[in-house]
Amino acid sequence: MHEGPAEARSARHKNPETTTGRLGAAVVGLGGAVATTAVAGVELLKLGTCGRDGLPLASRTDLVPYEDLVFGGWDMSADDLAKAAHLHRVLEPAQIEAAAARLQQLRPWPAVADPAYCRAVTGAHVVPFDSPRERTERIREDLRRFRDEQGLDEVVVVNLASTERLPDTASPALASPEAFEAALDTGDGAITPAMLYAYAALREGMAYLNFTPSCAADVPALIRLAERQGVPIAGKDGKTGQTMVKTVLAPALRSRALRVEGWYSTNLLGNRDGRALEDPDSMASKTATKESVLDAVLGYPVEDHQVRIEFYRPRGDEKEAWDNIDLVGFLGRRMQMKIDFLCRDSVLAAPLVLELIRLLAEARRRGERGVQEQFGFFFKAPMTADGSVPEHALHRQEQALLDWLDGRGRTTTSGRS
């Protein structure tokens, strides 16, 4: 009997010796700075015109090659990715030109959006505002079409959209898969656009990655649905610059018993992410993930830990992350440390997104399901299946990831060995 596409995919997931072939990435926010940088990066790798700096798992030949990634996705702008990349000004014009043949072919699908959840970023390339159920069906149709037209063996859905305001996470609608299903039909306001994409991915049996601070698959209803569907999920909020430095430095200060009396962090950025954060409600989502790290790493509360993010248009994607740390050492003597990280936001984020797409495909191949805690290395607010405080120290997170990759350790959340 001839084996159909669904049966073939199922057989591959059950066979750990089978390598995933063509891997699709369906990106929410395909026209954004991070996504266009990631797509262009893959095209430049194919051309052999760029190196692999910034890709922490470039040496892992057991993962799907970068060159086998196929991109599609949604955005509120209909611009092709070459035009979008020029507008974001992350890449050099010569780099965009080199990858232009492919970038010009990629045009986003109309996005599911709701201005009530992200007021500062708008666009006309959107699905008509209908019921949540109808919108999820539209997303699922897009995913099936992408998989079938591109002949993909696997698809990972990636959230790179602008930061949404926090919903009421205690809402009964988010408590169980059954309640969520009912809420889709009644139009419950607790369900965010990010949750609709996550739900659609899980219902289609596709792994889901949340690289944003938005509340998406990290609610009980969708965590349980992922476990039931046998689908891996990971998130949230990519740990790229300032917080990455914080999770390296804070463990060192703790190990030397240097008490952190205060830590002031500020960010200047002028990209679309920065504009979204002009909305106080979206800003609250972002600072919540950035502020959650320090106390957990140090083991005590830092009363004067402050995080500021300012939209400053002239900087574009060239973010400045500035930290002032007040320390107390031996004999009560006070000291200060100052860090000024002049970075490129999307250049730091894009390679991590590429690695996570490959890792989630590997988790799917191994039959993992639910929250993938071993991927916490990449996130400011790593998801945990039981809601416990995650590990934040970067060196410990890295070891957990490498142990999993090398088969020395497995997560022990529901449904996994």
Side-chain angles (χ1 to χ4, degrees):
M1 183 176 175
H2 178 69
E3 188 181 63
E7 290 80 7
R9 282 190 291 273
S10 177
R12 277 191 287 273
H13 297 153
K14 294 174 182 176
N15 181 3
E17 302 303 320
T18 303
T19 302
T20 301
R22 282 170 61 82
L23 173 58
V27 181
V28 189
L30 182 64
V34 175
T36 54
T37 303
V39 176
V42 168
E43 294 305 313
L44 295 173
L45 284 170
K46 290 178 183 178
L47 294 170
T49 59
C50 73
R52 302 200 170 197
D53 295 335
L55 291 160
L57 300 177
S59 63
R60 301 295 306 210
T61 57
D62 50 340
L63 299 176
V64 174
Y66 305 106
E67 294 83 358
D68 286 351
L69 299 182
V70 180
F71 291 91
W74 308 263
D75 201 272
M76 290 191 291
S77 169
D79 290 343
D80 67 68
L81 264 60
K83 182 175 181 180
H86 277 296
L87 291 173
H88 294 308
R89 296 181 298 152
V90 177
L91 303 169
E92 295 292 335
Q95 292 174 315
I96 301 173
E97 184 61 29
R102 179 60 184 146
L103 295 180
Q104 290 169 350
Q105 293 174 7
L106 278 174
R107 291 183 177 274
W109 317 320
V112 165
D114 185 344
Y117 274 97
C118 188
R119 291 187 286 263
V121 177
T122 59
H125 192 55
V126 295
V127 174
F129 198 89
D130 45 24
S131 74
R133 174 70 69 185
E134 292 170 325
R135 295 161 93 188
T136 60
E137 290 303 315
R138 174 66 175 266
I139 297 168
R140 294 178 68 180
E141 289 172 8
D142 288 338
L143 289 170
R144 290 192 292 267
R145 184 181 65 253
F146 177 51
R147 180 193 63 205
D148 296 341
E149 289 181 354
Q150 296 295 330
L152 302 170
D153 297 284
E154 195 68 69
V155 176
V156 176
V157 178
V158 184
N159 184 15
L160 296 179
S162 298
T163 302
E164 298 174 353
R165 70 168 173 86
L166 286 171
D168 177 11
T169 55
S171 169
L174 309 180
S176 70
E178 293 76 16
F180 194 92
E181 292 283 356
L184 286 175
D185 294 322
T186 60
D188 195 300
I191 297 179
T192 68
M195 292 179 196
L196 296 180
Y197 284 105
Y199 170 84
L202 300 181
R203 293 288 291 166
E204 290 299 317
M206 297 174 180
Y208 179 80
L209 161 63
N210 182 19
F211 204 72
T212 81
S214 301
C215 189
D218 50 318
V219 294
L222 297 181
I223 291 173
R224 292 176 196 167
L225 182 61
E227 292 167 353
R228 289 182 189 178
Q229 296 287 102
V231 178
I233 57 177
K236 67 179 183 176
D237 199 5
K239 182 161 66 176
T240 54
Q242 186 175 64
T243 306
M244 183 270 291
V245 171
K246 199 170 282 188
T247 59
V248 172
L249 187 56
L253 297 175
R254 177 177 177 171
S255 71
R256 292 302 174 92
L258 293 170
R259 181 166 59 86
V260 176
E261 191 174 49
W263 195 313
Y264 181 88
S265 301
T266 191
N267 298 261
L268 298 175
L269 73 164
N271 58 15
R272 189 163 71 174
D273 189 38
R275 186 174 294 281
L277 296 176
E278 285 191 298
D279 175 15
D281 290 333
S282 293
M283 176 70 80
S285 298
K286 183 71 173 180
T287 54
T289 62
K290 290 175 76 70
E291 290 172 350
S292 66
V293 171
L294 194 57
D295 293 358
V297 174
L298 292 173
Y300 56 85
V302 179
E303 183 177 352
D304 292 297
H305 179 206
Q306 300 183 38
V307 178
R308 299 287 184 268
I309 304 172
E310 301 291 342
F311 175 68
Y312 182 56
R313 187 184 54 79
R315 286 294 171 91
D317 203 69
E318 297 181 46
K319 182 169 75 172
E320 180 170 3
W322 184 83
D323 289 87
N324 174 81
I325 308 157
D326 286 282
L327 304 168
V328 178
F330 190 48
L331 304 177
R333 302 303 293 172
R334 285 180 165 79
M335 296 168 279
Q336 291 185 16
M337 184 180 296
K338 300 183 190 298
I339 303 168
D340 194 5
F341 190 5
L342 301 169
C343 55
R344 290 180 177 266
D345 211 27
S346 298
V347 169
L348 291 172
L352 303 190
V353 171
L354 296 177
E355 300 296 28
L356 281 161
I357 293 168
R358 301 201 302 154
L359 286 167
L360 278 161
E362 177 64 10
R364 185 84 167 113
R365 186 184 71 83
R366 295 187 186 189
E368 302 276 12
R369 62 178 65 204
V371 177
Q372 303 298 294
E373 296 180 14
Q374 72 275 19
F375 300 161
F377 174 71
F378 296 94
F379 300 110
K380 295 185 183 74
M383 292 173 63
T384 57
D386 60 2
S388 59
V389 176
E391 176 62 67
H392 284 289
L394 193 72
H395 66 289
R396 295 195 185 98
Q397 293 176 322
E398 181 183 30
Q399 192 59 58
L401 172 63
L402 296 177
D403 284 347
W404 178 81
L405 279 170
D406 293 334
R408 296 192 298 268
R410 283 263 184 136
T411 47
T412 57
T413 55
S414 175
R416 285 175 277 168
S417 60

